[in-house]
Structures are given as structure tokens and as C-alpha cells.
Amino acid sequence: MLKRTVLFILLSVGFSGMKAQQTIPFRITKHNNIIVKALVNKKDSLDLMFQIAMKEYSISPERKHKADHIIFNKEEVSDHNTVEIGKINQKNVRFFDNQLTGHEADGKIGTGIFDGKAFKIDYDNNQFVMYDKMPDLKGYQPVNIILDHDGFYLAADNIIDGDQQQEAYFVLQSGFSGTILYSNEFAEEKQLDKKLKVTGEKTLKNSEGKILITKQAILPYFKLGKSVFKDIPAGFFSGELKTQNVSYLGADMLRRFIWIFDAERKMAYIKPSKYFSEPYYKMN
């Protein structure tokens, strides 16, 4: 009888541990974007790109799959939808219409699915993991996070000229395929067009004839936590249009780590992934 009781307790603990976490499989495109398969309103099968800088869902005007069962109002908003992703079922989900997304995607999925839970972006096993309690963090290093308007901000060091470190805040941007994109303010203040080796540029004009120049350059060193990267591609803008208000830490940098975010979104924990030393993504 005692053995049966002990066995029952052990099984109960095991099953409760299983219930404490849920997984969502994903795939990674050649552009470093994470794609999740979703069934919306039990009718529309969609490929959604994970966008860490938003909470809700959205549909792209350039989608490849039909989304006929998502009904939008005049403000291009649709409420009270159901979404099935793996074994997870969500109700009263909001979608926004006509928002551009990444390659191979019909729309976007934000972080709202993880509300109230810690979650991991596991690039080694191509899955998200949601936790009711924080998992074992052995081997991870902590990074402070600031959550602002659904964006996850963190500080990193940039060595632009000589050995002087320049700290900057970056918003995690999984929809941007590259490594780093600097804000207009940072690029002008640090004179990136003069101090970095520029490897390419494009000139664009808007309908008013104002010029926007996109530049690709090489940053000598970039430090995130304890990890240091050498000769990293970095983008920035110059010209009359000042549209880039924040700096991005893009998908090419995100994939180089496994990330765990606490439920309060105050801390992230990172360790190198299998992509840590992969060649850098080349922007067109």
C-alpha cells in the first residue's frame, strides 16, 4: 500500500510538472523570421510571423492564404476571434487588418499569447515554451528589460571608434531580418556615416521629393551581456526624412541566443544558441 501511495505521488508530481509548461512549434525562414501555424475561427489556416514588438494579431494585404472568416470593421479591427495554435486555444482575439509582415507570412502574432506567463524562444528546438513558474536558469545570463508600448528594450555596448564603448538602448524587433538598425538620433550623434566603414547605400524619395538614404556599415564590436561580436553589419538612415526613432536589435541577432522572459517582463535570460557563430545576414 505504501509503495502504491509513493508511486501515485510521484506520478501526480510528474503530471503537474507537465501541465506547468506548454509548447508552440515554429519554423525559421531564410530571412530569420519565426513562422507559427494558426487556425483562425476554425476555418482559416494561416502562417503568422512572430513579432515580439507587438501584443495583438494582424493580417497582411499580401497574404497567400485566405482569411475570409475574419470580419473587420471600418477601423480595420476584428474582435472576438478564436485562434488555435498547437494545443493552445484562444478566445476573444483581436486582429488588425492591412499590416505588412515578413516573407512567407500571412500576418503577425504578438506576445499576447504569453500574457501572465514566463516564456522561452528556443531556437535550438524551434519552439516557444510557456511556463507557470520560472524554469531552471543554469547557464543563462540575466539582462534587464524595459517594457514600453509592447516593446522590449535592453541596453548593449557599441564600439564605434577605437576602444570607447557607447551604450545604446535597442528594442527587440523580430520582424527586422538583419542584426542592428540604429535610430536617426544615435546615427547623427555618433557620426556613424564618418566613423563606420560604409559598405552600401540606397537613396529613396517620398511623394514630396524628400530624400531618405539607407546605409549599411560594419560595426567593429558589439557587446550584449557578456557576449562580444566582431565586425557586425549595422544599418542606419541619413537624409531629410527622420523616420527611425528607435534602434532595433533584429532577428539575426535574436536567433543567436535562447531567450527566457519572466512573467513581469522585467528580466530576460540568455545563452548562446546553435546559431551563435553563424555568418551574418546580408541585407539587400
Side-chain angles (χ1 to χ4, degrees):
M1 183 65 183
L2 179 60
K3 289 183 178 180
R4 289 182 181 179
T5 302
V6 172
L7 179 61
F8 176 77
I9 292 173
L10 290 173
L11 288 172
S12 299
V13 170
F15 282 119
S16 65
M18 291 174 63
K19 290 179 181 179
Q21 66 182 52
Q22 294 176 295
T23 61
I24 299 175
F26 60 70
R27 66 178 175 88
I28 303 174
T29 72
K30 64 181 181 180
H31 301 285
N32 300 324
N33 299 135
I34 290 175
I35 303 294
V36 174
K37 285 195 171 294
L39 181 64
V40 183
N41 296 329
K42 300 189 180 297
K43 299 286 186 179
D44 298 323
S45 295
L46 301 174
D47 291 337
L48 302 177
M49 184 199 77
F50 174 63
Q51 174 52 284
I52 196 170
M54 65 183 284
K55 286 191 69 172
E56 310 289 355
Y57 290 77
S58 70
I59 293 296
S60 170
E62 299 177 358
R63 60 185 177 271
K64 293 183 178 180
H65 298 102
K66 292 183 178 180
D68 297 338
H69 299 86
I70 306 175
I71 308 302
F72 292 96
N73 60 24
K74 293 180 180 179
E75 285 73 39
E76 299 186 334
V77 176
S78 177
D79 287 317
H80 311 300
N81 299 284
T82 63
V83 177
E84 298 174 45
I85 299 175
K87 297 181 180 180
I88 297 174
N89 297 308
Q90 285 186 289
K91 297 180 180 179
N92 297 317
V93 173
R94 169 171 286 187
F95 276 85
F96 294 96
D97 199 8
N98 290 318
Q99 292 192 6
L100 295 178
T101 186
H103 299 275
E104 303 178 33
D106 303 306
K108 293 180 285 192
I109 174 176
T111 60
I113 193 170
F114 307 123
D115 273 355
K117 296 180 181 290
F119 74 95
K120 174 165 68 173
I121 309 176
D122 186 351
Y123 284 98
D124 283 357
N125 296 294
N126 284 12
Q127 65 181 12
F128 296 106
V129 185
M130 289 188 287
Y131 303 96
D132 291 334
K133 295 182 180 180
M134 288 295 289
D136 183 9
L137 297 172
K138 184 178 180 181
Y140 288 83
Q141 57 175 305
V143 178
N144 289 313
I145 291 289
I146 297 174
L147 183 63
D148 183 40
H149 291 88
D150 300 335
F152 294 67
Y153 289 79
L154 54 75
D157 290 322
N158 311 262
I159 298 179
I160 298 167
D161 189 13
D163 59 357
Q164 186 176 2
Q165 294 186 13
Q166 306 284 348
E167 186 181 66
Y169 276 88
F170 296 83
V171 62
L172 304 186
Q173 176 50 272
S174 54
F176 172 63
S177 297
T179 51
I180 290 174
L181 180 64
Y182 286 110
S183 68
N184 291 118
E185 181 181 2
F186 187 88
E188 291 176 0
E189 180 184 341
K190 307 304 179 185
Q191 298 181 311
L192 298 186
D193 57 342
K194 296 180 181 179
K195 294 184 177 180
L196 295 184
K197 178 183 177 182
V198 176
T199 58
E201 65 177 64
K202 292 181 181 179
T203 300
L204 306 172
K205 286 186 179 181
N206 69 359
S207 58
E208 298 176 350
K210 292 185 177 180
I211 294 175
L212 174 66
I213 301 173
T214 64
K215 295 189 177 185
Q216 292 296 318
I218 300 297
L219 179 69
Y221 292 97
F222 178 79
K223 184 180 179 183
L224 177 59
K226 298 177 182 178
S227 299
V228 178
F229 298 87
K230 184 180 179 181
D231 295 333
I232 181 172
F236 60 94
F237 296 104
S238 62
E240 300 169 277
L241 294 174
K242 311 296 182 184
T243 58
Q244 192 64 33
N245 298 319
V246 296
S247 296
Y248 288 165
L249 193 71
D252 186 33
M253 183 57 67
L254 285 171
R255 72 180 178 129
R256 297 174 189 275
F257 298 91
I258 296 173
W259 299 75
I260 297 177
F261 298 91
D262 67 4
E264 293 77 23
R265 310 295 185 250
K266 293 181 179 180
M267 295 292 298
Y269 301 87
I270 60 175
K271 72 175 183 179
S273 74
K274 62 184 180 182
Y275 298 107
F276 187 81
S277 300
E278 286 290 300
Y280 296 119
Y281 179 84
K282 294 183 179 180
M283 299 292 293
N284 294 327

